[in-house]
Amino acid sequence: EHIAQLVLNRPEAGNAVNQQLAQELDKICGQINQDSDIYVVTITGAGDKAFCCGGELEAEELRYSPAGAIAGINCPVIAAINGDALGQGLELALSCDIRLASAQARFGLPQVAQGLIPLDGGTQRLPRIVGCGKALELLLTAETISAEEALEIGLVSKVIPPEKLSGEVEELAENLAGKGPVALRYIKEAVNKGLDMTLEQGLRLEADLYLLLQTTDDRTEGIKAFLEKRPPKFKGE
């Protein structure tokens, strides 16, 4: 029903990113952007212990950026963080638009403890989400935090009992899939691009996207459905 479900399927390795998984994510994210029937994407990890426990790649081996591929999906992406999100696993979660977490999940970027720094966007996306001060604290100390603390600092938007996580994510995905898909994409574009613009430039982008939206069939359907007091039937056109 217009929802694509991605599963990181290496439970025996904590769903850690290896070269094959990185390559497959890059490919499938590109395919999602070519499929107009997909309005929303969810991503989770196989099993019940880990969302993704990091990466098995050295920087010189990384031909693909899994977090970059996920961030490049043009429709909303929901992370169902069913377990630990550590290292590159947290970087994958940071590249999603909405993050829901199991109460048993833990979060951290431990690379500095190994004499390294994050290589898939952690130093850039984390401060944009939780603020510079808290991001530096987590990055410099390599601290692992609980789901509750992740909620307190705004890293995740909701903490859910493990047995209810998939149901809540499904409900949220269905909610979003019932909205205008073109509008969903434009909102994501306006927010993400606007972060790197001045307020004046961002407002112009918002106005341009709003005007473009007025020319779509979805906008016509939205008005018609409102007047007829029925749910809209959007087609993404």
Side-chain angles (χ1 to χ4, degrees), residues 49-125:
K49 294 183 179 180
F51 173 75
C52 176
C53 282
E56 298 175 355
L57 302 171
E58 299 295 335
E60 61 270 17
E61 297 176 332
L62 190 63
R63 294 177 51 201
Y64 304 93
S65 167
I70 293 171
I73 294 175
N74 56 26
C75 62
V77 181
I78 304 169
I81 306 171
N82 56 309
D84 290 350
L86 305 172
Q88 197 168 14
L90 178 51
E91 292 178 284
L92 293 180
L94 292 172
S95 69
C96 299
D97 303 304
I98 302 174
R99 287 166 293 279
L100 304 185
S102 161
Q104 68 185 11
R106 298 179 301 167
F107 302 81
L109 291 169
Q111 289 93 330
V112 71
Q114 304 161 10
L116 301 170
I117 70 171
L119 53 76
D120 209 5
T123 64
Q124 302 306 303
R125 293 190 177 96

Side-chain angles (χ1 to χ4, degrees), residues 25 40 110 145 162 173 189 199 217:
L25 273 173
V40 182
I145 63 173
E189 179 179 351
L199 176 59
D217 292 341

